[in-house]
Amino acid sequence: MRITTTDDDETWFTLADGADRSTVEATVRAALVAQRDRLDRVEIDIVSDDDWPVAVLDAVRAAEARLSALRSRGISLTLDPRRDADFGLALTLAPFSIGCSGYDDGGGGPVWSVNDTGTSATFRLTAAEASAVRRAVHGGGGDTERLIPVATYHLGRRDLSYDVVGGTAPSDERWRPPDGWRAHERTVRLGDGADLWEDASRAVLSWGVKTRSGFAVDPPPEPGQVVRAGERFWLVARLGPLRVREPVQVVEVVTTGRRAALAYGTLEGHPVSGEEAFIVSRSDDGTVSLTLRSLTRAGSGRWRALFPLVLLLQRRYRRRYLRALTLGAR
């Protein structure tokens, strides 16, 4: 699974591994509150993997009485989140149930799902809802960094697909590529001056070469935010009606008074295997240049047979990369 969206303002989120119990409970409840206005029903199993906490036993008894009154032999109770009493039950029990889901029956389908006493949770949030959830979790003392897009979660489970990590040597002026790789290096002059240096170095450290060449970055960086080594992204290329999603990891970031660079490597599932670096440098006379370096081998699986086509596309995009900051910086 890569990422699921229903429109430009909704994204599936989940909880990263290792979230502490207080963060889980705060996030599950905050997401339910944030989405309440668009939920038509919540279905919750009145069963827990562990003993119910003492603090929620009254709610458990109330839910079991509702099931008994319905003469239901099942374990699932349907609640109306527009009713305060029902919403209160869902809010109290959701972090501890073996399974519960919130539905938007107006076409959105399930938008909130919590299973296995909160250890598996996904929420389809708008940008405003995600912000509200983070505020609530922070206010409750939870770790807001644990709420991440599903895309990021699955990227974290992929390994780098090559072994010469750092092979593009973005901090070095002279490059000696490792043996056994298709190595490419090209430098173009962007211009001169302090303003150009600031603009170009900021752009190269925030995926500007990629985005100005037709790629989208998922998750998108915040305005003004620069990437950090170890971060993982999907780079999304549009080829006519198709979208190709490329999983990558930032392997090195360079920030000095004369050099700004981003190097990223391929993760499992990428169309090729290898590393690419975008390097902005400033010489003694103030000249600002962009250098592109790459190491490439065929990808695995279905991509291996498509390697000749991938190389053609790679050459096309390289031409765009070399123009990206020239056009964008002026």
Side-chain angles (χ1 to χ4, degrees), residues 153-190:
Y153 178 80
H154 288 284
L155 281 172
R157 293 170 172 254
R158 295 173 183 248
D159 292 327
L160 288 164
S161 61
Y162 70 110
D163 57 2
V164 290
V165 179
T168 54
S171 61
D172 297 343
E173 291 189 16
R174 296 183 179 276
W175 184 41
R176 297 184 62 182
D179 294 334
W181 290 82
R182 287 177 175 267
H184 175 85
E185 182 178 36
R186 174 81 185 277
T187 299
V188 293
R189 180 181 183 275
L190 301 178

Side-chain angles (χ1 to χ4, degrees), residues 6-7 43 55 59-60 107 122 130 160 179 200 220 234 248-249 274 304 320:
T6 54
D7 59 41
E43 296 183 357
V60 173
T122 53
L160 288 164
D179 294 334
W234 294 99
V248 301
Q249 176 179 314
R304 184 171 295 276
R320 293 187 182 183

Side-chain angles (χ1 to χ4, degrees), residues 22-88:
S22 62
T23 296
V24 171
E25 293 178 24
T27 305
V28 166
R29 288 172 171 151
L32 187 58
V33 170
Q35 295 181 299
R36 181 180 183 181
D37 288 344
R38 62 185 178 122
L39 290 176
D40 293 299
R41 57 191 168 94
V42 174
E43 296 183 357
I44 183 166
D45 294 338
I46 314 304
V47 176
S48 179
D49 285 327
D50 303 313
D51 292 337
W52 292 101
V54 173
V56 307
L57 287 179
D58 286 345
V60 173
R61 295 186 189 102
E64 289 174 340
R66 290 271 298 271
L67 278 176
S68 178
L70 293 171
R71 296 182 180 179
S72 172
R73 295 184 178 180
I75 61 172
S76 183
L77 180 64
T78 299
L79 301 172
D80 184 348
R82 292 161 293 194
R83 298 180 59 215
D84 289 344
D86 281 20
F87 187 73

Side-chain angles (χ1 to χ4, degrees), residues 104-300:
D104 173 4
D105 292 333
V111 296
W112 175 89
S113 178
V114 181
N115 299 282
D116 302 328
T117 61
T119 58
S120 175
T122 53
F123 321 105
R124 198 180 73 202
L125 302 173
T126 65
E129 289 168 347
S131 295
V133 172
R134 289 192 175 98
R135 287 195 301 271
V137 172
H138 177 74
D143 183 358
T144 59
E145 296 298 319
R146 295 295 175 175
L147 180 68
I148 60 173
V150 168
T152 302
Y153 178 80
H154 288 284
L155 281 172
R157 293 170 172 254
R158 295 173 183 248
D159 292 327
L160 288 164
S161 61
Y162 70 110
D163 57 2
V164 290
V165 179
T168 54
S171 61
D172 297 343
E173 291 189 16
R174 296 183 179 276
W175 184 41
R176 297 184 62 182
D179 294 334
W181 290 82
R182 287 177 175 267
H184 175 85
E185 182 178 36
R186 174 81 185 277
T187 299
V188 293
R189 180 181 183 275
L190 301 178
D192 52 52
D195 289 344
L196 175 58
W197 160 251
E198 292 294 334
D199 290 345
S201 58
R202 188 182 308 111
V204 81
L205 295 174
S206 58
W207 290 115
V209 174
K210 281 289 190 178
T211 57
R212 295 178 187 184
S213 300
F215 280 78
V217 179
D218 186 13
E222 297 293 332
Q225 178 183 350
V226 300
V227 298
R228 295 175 295 181
E231 291 182 330
R232 295 184 167 199
F233 299 87
W234 294 99
L235 302 179
V236 187
R238 292 186 178 274
L239 304 174
L242 303 177
R243 291 196 308 170
V244 178
R245 300 174 63 82
E246 303 175 353
V248 301
Q249 176 179 314
V250 178
V251 296
E252 189 169 349
V253 175
V254 178
T255 54
T256 70
R258 301 185 55 168
R259 201 171 189 85
L262 179 161
Y264 68 91
T266 60
L267 296 171
E268 293 172 342
H270 195 288
V272 300
S273 174
E275 189 173 301
E276 191 161 51
F278 304 123
I279 305 161
V280 173
S281 58
R282 178 168 56 173
S283 65
D284 291 336
D285 64 3
T287 298
V288 181
S289 302
L290 170 66
T291 298
L292 168 65
R293 292 176 183 168
S294 65
L295 298 169
T296 309
R297 282 180 179 170
S300 61

